[in-house]
Amino acid sequence: MAVLLLAEVTDGVLNADATGKAVTAVKSLGDVTVLCAGGQASDAAAEAAKIDGVAKVLCAEDALYSHRLAEPTAALIVSLAGDYSHIAAPATTDAKNILPRVAALLDVMILTDVSGVVDADTFERPIYAGNAIQTVKSKDATKVMTIRVSTFDAAGSGNSAPVENISAADAPGLSEWVADHVAESDRPELTSAGIVVSGGRGVGSEEDFKLIEGLADKLGAAIGASRAAVDSGYAPNDWQVGQTGKVVAPDLYVAVGISGAIQHLAGMKDSKVIVAINKDEEAPIFQVADYGLVADLFQAVPELTDKL
Amino acid sequence: MKVLVPVKRVIDYNVKVRVKGDGTGVDLANVKMSMNPFDEIAVEEAIRLKEKGAVEEIVVVSIGVKQSQETLRTALAMGADRAILITAADDVHNDIEPLAVAKLLKAVIDEEQPGLVLCGKQAIDNDMNATGQMLSALLGWSQATFASEVAIEGDSAVVKREVDGGMQSIKVKMPAVISVDLRLNEPRYASLPNIMKAKKKPLDEKTPADYGVDVAPRLEIVKTSEPAERQAGIMVGSVEELVDKLKNEAGVI
Ligand SMILES: Cc1cc2nc3c(=O)[nH]c(=O)nc-3n(C[C@H](O)[C@H](O)[C@H](O)COP(=O)(O)OP(=O)(O)OC[C@H]3O[C@@H](n4cnc5c(N)ncnc54)[C@H](O)[C@@H]3O)c2cc1C
Ligand SMILES: Nc1ncnc2c1ncn2[C@@H]1O[C@H](COP(=O)(O)O)[C@@H](O)[C@H]1O
């Protein structure tokens, strides 16, 4: 058995955290070959070769893969698929876009958001916003899956796996990249941060979200948000935590002015320590919080920022 | 142009899901069912394209139990023109997998020849986030997932997508499959007169056999279990106490 793992490469840079956690998830399934695809991919491939447990790295450097468009990237993976029993990737938006396409082209079912590997055919995945965990056994010849990385520890580094350059596959020519709209930030990345401070509708405005940012900066934390905060324009979409946003499991998660709807809990309830600050003592967020503080956030957050 | 919108009947997003004691699944008996929230957004987008004159006809398709026709009627009441129900299960606990759904949708599309498919990004029951991508692959079409803005420009569509780093704009050739995200629009409610009118709109009933598609699952469900429960925590009386607990008890700061 052998595993092909699509590494997360953005603008030539390897997301070592997500990729390393995915390696941990799949390494019991066979030799792991990591595929780095991108307009620039050789630096990422060299980084991936250092991840412990990686047997080999394939580097596909071609303008075709610059923006990880689904059609060419899926075609590349399908062209390599014959050698592997499992095809996997961390469950990023890129992989969620690409891997179901790969699965359909191979006529197999996709396993998305795998949170546990039981054996070569059997996997666990959350359903209903994480309110149930389903164990499924695949009957397909090739298992294609995305990995919920928040449930796995990152693999160590110190390895030096061989890197092989491979050529590009066919260009389907169905779509083209137009623009990225990405905010630059010095803050830690949300899904790999050790501490996350999230704000909800209770914060009330984009301006007052500065309170959340101030607390996050003091803690060296990443910033998250509820859907309501994003929909209201207080926070950008890539901060959304939840069933349909990002899934995080930091050491400390601070929820400020968030009620705790199941769709939000789905994205953060595996955090090690949860703090909730809410003026409503009945808010459901307190049912999952290790430490709850019933308070007006406009007083409590500045005070907390001050005392840290 | 004709637009096809697949809509799924799912447990209402407000219902707290309960895992059955014997581990065979979740309890769906007598719970409120609704249209998958993302699919409401897809239907709304199709209607707006029609109102702008970019679309002539909206066909909605649902695959599942017979009762999915209620979901189709809701879509018709919102403004879709015609519905197709493919009855593929007689028990609501029997979910049809995205691969099989995609194959059935492909068969419908081969007949209907729409220029665009607008689907939801994710069904909130199985949380798969896969059907649109699989359908696009089977058709050999382009795909634009997680759309938060859609502009049809001649024979292509420019789509702004919600991605991990922020937003990405791509241009896809039509025909295309576009899966919609939460912030694309706010779906309308159906008015009472429109609900009445929807009862007279055409709804075709089909089975997977009509399309020669095998819907047998590829994944065997071994068991369904409760997630690990969190221990109940404590309430603190002040910010000072909170800082003390985080430092000295939890040791996280
Ligand atoms: C299909 C679907 C998918 C969804 N996906 C997600 C998702 O991924 N992530 C997500 O978060 N949600 C998601 N939701 C939305 C979810 O159901 C809730 O609507 C949302 O999480 C509510 O956000 P909130 O807690 O910020 O707002 P509210 O529920 O309005 O809560 C605001 C809270 O702030 C408190 N508050 C107000 N003022 C103050 C103050 N001055 N001081 C202290 N506290 C104050 C209030 O007591 C209240 O508890 C989804 C919904 C649907 C239908
Ligand atoms: N049984 C179904 N009937 C109609 N549409 C479906 C069905 N299953 C999935 N879809 C469509 O595919 C989208 C994504 O679903 P999923 O891949 O299951 O998360 C949904 O939002 C629907 O638009």
Side-chain angles (χ1 to χ4, degrees), chain A residues 2 4 75-87 102 106 142 144:
Chain A
L4 180 67
L76 173 68
I77 296 171
V78 169
S79 75
L80 301 167
D83 297 337
Y84 302 95
S85 56
H86 296 76
I87 297 173
V102 171
L106 297 174
T142 309
V144 180

Side-chain angles (χ1 to χ4, degrees), chain A residues 211 277 293 295-306, chain B residues 239:
Chain A
L211 285 176
I277 301 174
L293 177 64
D296 184 340
L297 70 92
F298 294 102
Q299 269 147 26
V301 173
E303 194 185 335
L304 179 57
T305 310
D306 220 43
Chain B
V239 169

Side-chain angles (χ1 to χ4, degrees), chain A:
Chain A
M1 284 195 310
V3 185
L4 180 67
L5 179 77
L6 176 68
E8 181 70 10
V9 180
T10 312
D11 293 334
V13 181
L14 178 77
N15 180 335
D17 183 76
T19 308
K21 286 174 176 166
V23 169
T24 302
V26 300
K27 68 175 183 226
S28 66
L29 300 170
D31 278 351
V32 179
T33 298
V34 173
L35 170 63
C36 291
Q40 296 167 339
S42 45
D43 290 354
E47 280 303 307
K50 295 182 192 159
I51 300 174
D52 286 345
V54 172
K56 186 170 153 188
V57 177
L58 300 178
C59 176
E61 196 170 68
D62 192 292
L64 195 52
Y65 308 120
S66 291
H67 302 285
R68 307 285 301 276
L69 292 170
E71 301 88 343
T73 315
L76 173 68
I77 296 171
V78 169
S79 75
L80 301 167
D83 297 337
Y84 302 95
S85 56
H86 296 76
I87 297 173
T92 58
T93 45
D94 265 352
K96 288 176 181 172
N97 190 30
I98 296 164
L99 285 210
R101 191 172 181 99
V102 171
L105 292 171
L106 297 174
D107 191 28
V108 302
M109 241 309 269
I110 178 88
L111 295 140
T112 60
D113 256 327
V114 166
S115 58
V117 174
V118 179
D119 61 37
D121 309 313
T122 317
F123 305 92
E124 291 171 351
R125 56 181 303 274
I127 53 173
Y128 294 95
N131 283 302
I133 309 293
Q134 202 170 56
T135 306
V136 291
K137 191 171 172 161
S138 167
K139 297 172 195 157
D140 286 320
T142 309
K143 277 73 175 168
V144 180
M145 57 191 173
T146 60
I147 308 289
R148 173 168 282 211
V149 289
S150 63
T151 53
F152 297 95
D153 294 328
S157 85
N159 191 8
S160 54
V163 177
E164 184 188 319
N165 290 315
I166 58 168
S167 46
D170 293 345
L174 292 165
S175 56
E176 56 189 273
W177 171 82
V178 176
D180 284 331
H181 318 270
V182 177
E184 292 295 325
S185 162
D186 296 334
R187 294 200 180 89
E189 197 266 321
L190 185 52
T191 56
S192 57
I195 304 181
V196 173
V197 180
S198 284
R201 197 198 314 263
V203 178
S205 69
E206 187 181 2
E207 200 156 72
D208 285 327
F209 231 80
K210 296 259 180 320
L211 285 176
I212 304 296
E213 294 175 31
L215 177 56
D217 289 344
K218 197 71 177 271
L219 287 165
I223 306 181
S226 70
R227 175 187 170 188
V230 177
D231 285 1
S232 312
Y234 308 166
N237 66 285
D238 51 304
W239 290 2
Q240 182 178 316
V241 170
Q243 179 186 18
T244 56
K246 287 180 180 156
V247 178
V248 302
D251 294 331
L252 173 61
Y253 187 90
V254 185
V256 181
I258 292 177
S259 61
I262 48 171
Q263 292 87 4
H264 187 79
L265 302 185
M268 45 65 77
K269 70 179 158 69
D270 292 331
S271 304
K272 293 204 182 65
V273 174
I274 297 174
V275 170
I277 301 174
N278 196 302
K279 69 175 180 190
D280 173 11
E281 62 182 308
E282 305 282 322
I285 190 78
F286 289 126
Q287 290 163 19
V288 300
D290 299 281
Y291 302 106
L293 177 64
V294 179
D296 184 340
L297 70 92
F298 294 102
Q299 269 147 26
V301 173
E303 194 185 335
L304 179 57
T305 310
D306 220 43
K307 288 210 160 74
L308 285 167

